[in-house]
């Protein structure tokens, strides 16, 4: 567990059969050295989904069972599970909640945003859509439109089961239903790059007797030797890196984030603004429309600089870099404190530590 920054909690939502469990299993199988805590919210008394992932997460999985999480009277049950997973002994890096296929995602988001545990924070809502059953699902579940409207990132799954024209039609309809600028990722068998949701850490533990993770790593090595990259979704995404020792203008950077293209799925890194009274190191985390800034101290002797990684598909790298270059501020010491208001809207307030307080996390 990161003792400085709270653990992000990512919600996987989608109707029954959309492929949430398949996507979750893919994330677990390609997480590298990242420690993932999993909450499986099954509907019904037989927790088939929970059993299907149990072998991959061991003691780091809990299951709510018995119905939809959003139907709970309050968030105390979820709070207890999150507190268990966030315990320092588990050293969890990210928590993924696989919601019931009948859950109301907006209620789950409210529960997570209102969570009072400082060790965890809401990390975005990923809505999984079945491309092959899109029209049938909307007809049977009109609330689909409402769910898409609150998603931070939409995964159009099972794209291998529709032709190009049908996929284009569905993508256009999803874009019209989702909030403006919501990224849409195509996938088959739930194979998306885990880096779109969280950072993958390198292997650091000494391997003795072969574990499940060891076997997965070996299988991945053999696949690379055989030239098979079919299971590695990272081959379909572009990555752009930006570094500068010059401070960024908070207003221009927020304008850049507000206008980022739909193909830009993930932004991560740290930003140096240098505005008087706000000279901390601002960690930035964006998944789709979701945006969060976490201010914190600089390390001893650490240079003041901005370092960002942007991940997407079909993105114009040179244009993104040019836009970020335009955000540079040669004299941040002259900036007024109110120029930080746009950034602070997406940063935790002191009130977050007060049980009566509210948070400011949310989509940009």
């Amino acid at each position: 567990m990161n003792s400085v920054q709270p653990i992000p909690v990512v919600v996987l939502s989608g109707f029954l059969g959309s492929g949430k469990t398949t996507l979750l299993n893919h994330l677990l199988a390609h997480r590298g050295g990242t420690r993932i805590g999993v909450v499986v919210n099954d509907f019904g008394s037989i927790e088939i989904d929970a059993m299907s992932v149990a072998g991959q997460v061991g003691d780091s999985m809990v299951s709510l069972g018995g119905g939809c999480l959003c139907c709970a009277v309050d968030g105390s049950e979820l709070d207890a599970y999150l507190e268990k997973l966030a315990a320092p002994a588990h050293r969890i890096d990210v928590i993924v909640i696989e919601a019931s296929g009948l859950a109301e995602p907006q209620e789950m988001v409210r529960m997570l945003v209102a969570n009072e545990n400082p060790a965890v924070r809401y990390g975005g809502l990923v809505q999984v859509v079945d491309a092959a059953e899109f029209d049938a699902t909307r007809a049977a579940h009109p609330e689909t439109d409402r769910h898409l409207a609150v998603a931070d990132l939409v995964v159009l799954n099972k794209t291998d089961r529709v032709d190009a024209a049908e996929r284009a039609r569905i993508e256009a309809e999803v874009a019209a239903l989702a909030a403006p600028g919501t990224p849409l990722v195509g996938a088959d068998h739930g194979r998306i790059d885990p880096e779109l949701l969280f950072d993958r850490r390198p292997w650091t533990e000494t391997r003795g007797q072969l574990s499940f993770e060891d076997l997965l790593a070996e299988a991945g090595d053999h696949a690379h030797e055989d030239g098979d990259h079919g299971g590695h979704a990272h081959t379909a995404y572009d990555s752009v890196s930006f570094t500068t020792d010059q401070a960024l203008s908070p207003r221009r950077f927020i304008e850049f984030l507000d206008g980022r293209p739909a193909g830009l799925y993930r932004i991560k890194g740290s930003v140096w603004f240098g505005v008087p009274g706000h000279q901390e190191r601002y960690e930035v985390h964006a998944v789709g429309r979701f945006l969060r800034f976490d201010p914190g101290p600089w390390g001893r002797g650490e240079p003041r600089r901005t370092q960002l990684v942007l991940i997407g598909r079909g993105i114009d790298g040179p244009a993104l870099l040019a836009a970020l270059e335009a955000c540079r501020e040669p004299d941040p010491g002259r900036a007024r404190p109110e120029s930080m208001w746009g950034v602070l809207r997406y940063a935790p307030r002191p009130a977050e530590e007060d049980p009566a307080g509210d948070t400011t996390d949310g989509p940009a």
Side-chain angles (χ1 to χ4, degrees):
M1 170 182 168
N2 186 331
S3 61
V4 177
Q5 298 294 347
I7 302 170
V9 181
V10 178
V11 178
L12 285 182
S13 180
F15 284 102
L16 298 169
S18 61
K20 298 186 303 296
T21 301
T22 302
L23 192 154
L24 175 58
N25 282 325
H26 174 77
L27 295 177
L28 293 170
H30 296 85
R31 68 188 186 272
T34 302
R35 289 180 173 270
I36 304 178
V38 180
V39 177
V40 178
N41 174 212
D42 290 323
F43 186 82
S45 59
I46 301 177
E47 299 171 353
I48 299 174
D49 287 351
M51 290 187 288
S52 71
V53 300
Q56 300 195 30
V57 294
D59 293 335
S60 295
M61 188 193 77
V62 294
S63 181
L64 300 179
C68 295
L69 176 63
C70 59
C71 297
V73 175
D74 56 44
S76 60
E77 186 178 15
L78 173 63
D79 292 347
Y81 286 127
L82 293 179
E83 184 176 0
K84 173 185 175 181
L85 288 175
H90 292 308
R91 294 183 291 144
I92 296 296
D93 298 306
V94 62
I95 296 173
V96 178
I97 298 179
E98 182 192 348
S100 159
L102 301 179
E104 283 291 339
Q106 60 268 49
E107 295 303 322
M108 299 189 68
V109 171
R110 290 193 186 100
M111 292 171 66
L112 289 169
V113 170
N115 188 282
E116 299 171 3
N117 186 346
V120 298
R121 63 170 172 80
Y122 173 58
L125 171 66
V126 180
Q127 183 75 14
V128 184
V129 174
D130 183 341
E133 300 294 333
F134 178 69
D135 293 329
T137 300
R138 287 189 71 197
H141 303 282
E143 61 270 31
T144 298
D145 296 4
R146 185 174 67 251
H147 295 180
L148 285 169
V150 298
D152 296 306
L153 178 70
V154 178
V155 175
L156 184 63
N157 196 29
K158 305 183 185 181
T159 55
D160 56 314
R161 295 178 55 187
V162 297
D163 59 30
E166 179 70 357
R167 175 175 175 174
R169 179 188 69 83
I170 295 172
E171 289 180 343
E173 291 195 28
V174 169
L177 294 169
T182 302
L184 174 64
V185 181
D188 62 87
H189 299 89
R191 291 180 293 195
I192 68 170
D193 192 335
E195 289 280 350
L196 299 183
L197 305 181
F198 55 80
D199 293 338
R200 278 182 293 190
R201 301 184 183 278
W203 297 104
T204 56
E205 298 182 358
T206 302
R207 302 178 192 177
Q209 182 178 354
L210 283 179
S211 66
F212 182 81
E213 291 181 337
D214 296 328
L215 294 173
L216 285 171
E218 286 195 353
D221 292 339
H222 291 314
H224 279 295
E225 291 171 3
D226 296 337
D228 178 14
H229 296 273
H232 298 272
H234 66 267
T235 57
Y237 301 107
D238 301 313
S239 176
V240 176
S241 298
F242 174 77
T243 301
T244 179
D245 290 330
Q246 200 167 43
L248 296 191
S249 162
R251 285 177 174 166
R252 291 198 293 273
F253 188 56
I254 287 295
E255 289 174 359
F256 167 80
L257 293 173
D258 286 343
R260 62 192 187 270
L264 183 55
Y265 305 136
R266 176 91 191 278
I267 302 174
K268 58 181 181 176
S270 59
V271 185
W272 160 239
F273 294 114
V275 175
H278 301 279
Q279 299 192 14
E280 303 95 331
R281 181 179 189 268
Y282 282 82
E283 292 282 342
V284 60
H285 170 79
V287 173
R289 293 188 309 127
F290 174 77
L291 175 63
R292 166 93 175 199
F293 285 98
D294 283 301
W298 295 90
R300 186 172 183 177
E302 183 179 4
R304 276 42 172 176
R305 62 165 55 113
T306 293
Q307 294 179 297
L308 297 171
V309 176
L310 301 86
I311 303 172
R313 173 179 288 169
I315 55 178
D316 186 339
L320 290 174
L321 291 175
L324 287 170
E325 289 285 351
C327 294
R328 297 201 300 175
E329 177 56 61
D331 191 4
R334 299 182 61 181
R336 299 179 63 85
E338 55 264 33
S339 67
M340 287 291 295
W341 287 352
V343 172
L344 297 179
R345 179 186 177 192
Y346 300 105
R349 295 178 180 176
E352 283 189 270
E353 300 174 2
D354 182 348
D358 196 2
T359 66
T360 56
D361 297 348

